[in-house]
Amino acid sequence: HTLLPVAAYSVSGEYAMIKAAAAAKLIDEYQVMCESAVSIFRAGADILITYHALELAQAMQKGDIG
């Protein structure tokens, strides 16, 4: 247990995997991106460092994730 913020980093391989699967029309990129971020926060992260930062900020503004 810590009172310090916990940061998580979504690695470039995960970003590339999501992009490639979406390009191949195997997944819905937006939904997978959102679910990936939510799962990291559910695991206890306070801060997420990710290549999807702008898209996630827009999803939060739209209310798709909170």
Side-chain angles (χ1 to χ4, degrees), residues 30 54-66:
Y30 187 79
L54 291 176
E55 294 94 334
L56 287 171
Q58 292 168 345
M60 288 188 284
Q61 286 179 334
K62 287 173 44 179
D64 290 344
I65 58 175

Side-chain angles (χ1 to χ4, degrees), residues 19-51:
K19 288 290 189 183
K25 301 193 185 306
L26 298 172
I27 62 168
D28 178 331
E29 180 180 353
Y30 187 79
Q31 293 296 324
V32 171
M33 173 197 68
C34 291
E35 184 58 34
S36 176
V38 169
S39 68
I40 291 169
F41 286 112
R42 281 187 190 143
D46 299 301
I47 301 164
L48 174 58
I49 302 166
T50 177
Y51 294 99

